DNA sequence: ACCGCACCCTGAGCGC
DNA sequence: TGCGCTCAGGGTGCGG
């Protein structure tokens, strides 16, 4: 769910609730694929530490601690980072829905990390059903290959740079947009939307897109990401803001998950195809 | 260096 | 009601 706008919305809403607070206790779920740093070691390292910053790089969040350690967080596909007490139907399983839970988030088996603070509630919760999310502790001064690999932040998408990087690529232009080493933060939804806004078909070879088109595309990448941040992100399946609220951008998307619907410009039928194992949506008439 | 693919995990929604 | 299937916005690691 979470692409750059959702991660940025999370960061902006979460920061005032956590920065400057001291972690009093840490509860972790069992070791899993989710914990790159084993839970016991993570809990020991975080307990008693003060959170000094919350930053974003691409789709990663970096929680800085006053002692110089940093916690690298990734929301994966179903990650939810929120304050305890947040109310959202998206925080419940279907079973909880039907049993009439009021939506107030109780830790369930998908809540892998709980931080509680010295000055009292609410604490921070990290829930992730599919466990494609990640938690990783970075020692003071230490970086991580995941971060080193990231290309330019997509909010600063640069058309000329995209054009240069595209010259030796035989893969489709959409694959280029999704490459985090090229543009950090763009995912499936916003790639489809930006290509639609630019009149470029996602299947077209990256090499076949002109400099002029890359300039337009970079502009539209920025535009769609900023607009989504303004509306609180896209809550298409699991994303919620730290306060439990849904984003609204899903109501503004033009092609993503609109297969079979009419294009807003020309009324042609939006089609869905698969590119690189991911669904892609476009207007066969407006996008060439 | 790049490309396509399998894989990590769980749940929802569908047809039968 | 239940079974089996497909799908889901993430990234990584592999062989070619």
């Amino acid at each position: 769910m979470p692409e750059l706008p959702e991660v940025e919305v999370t960061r902006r809403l979460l920061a005032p609730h956590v920065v400057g607070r001291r972690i009093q206790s840490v509860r972790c779920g069992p070791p899993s694929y989710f914990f790159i740093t084993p839970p016991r070691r993570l809990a020991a390292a975080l307990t008693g530490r003060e959170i000094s910053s919350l930053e974003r790089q691409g789709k990663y969040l970096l929680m800085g601690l006053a002692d110089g350690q940093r916690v690298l967080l990734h929301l994966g596909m179903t990650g939810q980072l929120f304050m305890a007490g947040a109310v959202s139907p998206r925080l419940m399983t279907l079973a909880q829905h039907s049993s009439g839970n009021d939506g107030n988030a109780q830790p369930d088996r998908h809540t892998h990390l709980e931080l509680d603070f010295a000055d009292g509630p609410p604490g921070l919760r990290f829930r992730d059903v599919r466990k494609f999310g990640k938690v990783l502790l970075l020692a003071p001064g230490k970086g991580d290959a995941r971060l080193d690999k990231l290309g330019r932040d997509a909010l600063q998408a640069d058309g000329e740079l995209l054009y240069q990087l595209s010259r030796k690529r035989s893969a489709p232009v959409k694959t280029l947009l999704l490459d985090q080493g090229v543009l950090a933060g763009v995912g499936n939804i916003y790639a489809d939307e930006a290509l639609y806004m630019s009149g470029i078909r996602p299947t077209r070879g990256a090499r076949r897109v002109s400099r002029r088109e890359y300039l337009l595309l970079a502009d539209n990448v920025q535009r769609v990401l900023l607009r989504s941040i303004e509306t609180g992100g896209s809550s298409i399946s699991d994303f919620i803001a730290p306060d439990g609220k849904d984003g609204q951008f899903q109501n503004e998307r033009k092609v993503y998950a609109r297969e079979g619907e009419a294009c807003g410009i020309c009324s042609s039928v939006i089609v869905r195809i698969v590119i690189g194992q991911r669904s892609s949506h476009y207007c066969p008439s407006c996008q060439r």
Side-chain angles (χ1 to χ4, degrees):
Chain A
M1 33 222 36
E3 305 180 33
L4 186 149
E6 292 74 34
V7 178
E8 179 61 18
V9 167
T10 298
R11 189 193 69 77
R12 290 185 188 182
L13 295 180
L14 212 51
H17 291 288
V18 302
V19 173
R21 298 181 83 192
R22 192 168 64 80
I23 299 165
Q24 183 171 59
S25 61
V26 180
R27 288 196 48 221
C28 293
S32 73
Y33 184 80
F34 175 86
F35 288 102
I36 306 290
T37 300
R40 293 192 56 152
R41 198 152 74 75
L42 184 70
L46 295 185
T47 302
R49 305 282 179 259
E50 182 186 319
I51 298 175
S52 58
S53 64
L54 188 64
E55 288 166 15
R56 180 189 61 75
Q57 285 188 38
K59 299 174 193 171
Y60 290 94
L61 282 174
L62 274 161
M63 194 167 75
L65 304 179
D67 67 353
Q69 296 185 99
R70 294 186 297 169
V71 183
L72 186 58
L73 304 165
H74 196 287
L75 297 176
M77 297 259 278
T78 52
Q80 298 168 320
L81 206 47
F82 58 96
M83 301 310 293
V87 172
S88 167
R90 293 178 196 279
L91 286 169
M92 299 187 297
T93 62
L94 192 63
Q96 288 174 301
H97 271 284
S98 51
S99 66
N101 189 299
D102 63 1
N104 202 322
Q106 301 302 320
D108 62 6
R109 69 194 190 91
H110 301 302
T111 304
H112 308 300
L113 183 62
E114 303 176 50
L115 304 185
D116 286 296
F117 298 103
D119 58 2
L124 177 63
R125 304 288 180 263
F126 193 167
R127 182 174 187 263
D128 183 3
V129 171
R130 286 175 77 184
K131 293 201 284 265
F132 285 175
K134 302 266 179 294
V135 183
L136 169 59
L137 185 69
L138 303 181
K142 288 287 171 81
D144 187 80
R146 295 168 178 78
L147 297 177
D148 297 340
K149 274 190 285 194
L150 296 179
R152 169 172 290 239
D153 195 87
L155 282 181
Q156 269 83 49
D158 179 330
E160 179 62 27
L161 183 60
L162 281 181
Y163 173 73
Q164 295 302 335
L165 293 174
S166 71
R167 292 306 86 187
K168 290 178 179 170
R169 300 280 194 131
S170 62
V173 58
K174 172 155 180 193
T175 303
L176 186 77
L177 286 184
L178 291 177
D179 185 338
Q180 300 301 296
V182 171
L183 209 48
V186 176
N188 214 23
I189 297 176
Y190 301 106
D192 279 4
E193 294 296 320
L195 286 164
Y196 173 76
M197 292 162 76
S198 307
I200 302 168
R201 197 175 289 210
T203 49
R204 205 197 311 173
R207 255 188 311 222
R208 304 295 197 178
V209 176
S210 69
R211 171 185 269 121
R212 184 187 183 80
E213 287 176 309
Y214 274 116
L215 293 175
L216 176 64
L217 183 56
D219 200 50
N220 283 326
V221 165
Q222 291 193 28
R223 206 179 293 276
V224 72
L225 296 179
L226 286 170
R227 177 58 191 158
S228 181
I229 291 170
E230 275 179 20
T231 60
S234 299
S235 293
I236 288 179
S237 68
D238 301 270
F239 175 71
I240 56 160
D243 55 7
K245 297 241 168 62
D246 277 3
Q248 296 304 316
F249 185 80
Q250 64 276 13
N251 302 322
E252 299 194 17
R253 78 209 136 82
K254 305 288 194 248
V255 287
Y256 182 78
R258 291 204 185 281
E259 179 187 16
E261 297 182 33
C263 167
I265 296 172
C266 73
S267 298
S268 297
V269 176
I270 302 298
V271 300
R272 173 184 176 277
I273 59 167
V274 174
I275 300 176
Q277 324 301 115
R278 297 248 148 81
S279 63
S280 297
H281 314 77
Y282 68 93
C283 170
S285 166
C286 294
Q287 293 174 260
R288 301 291 179 174

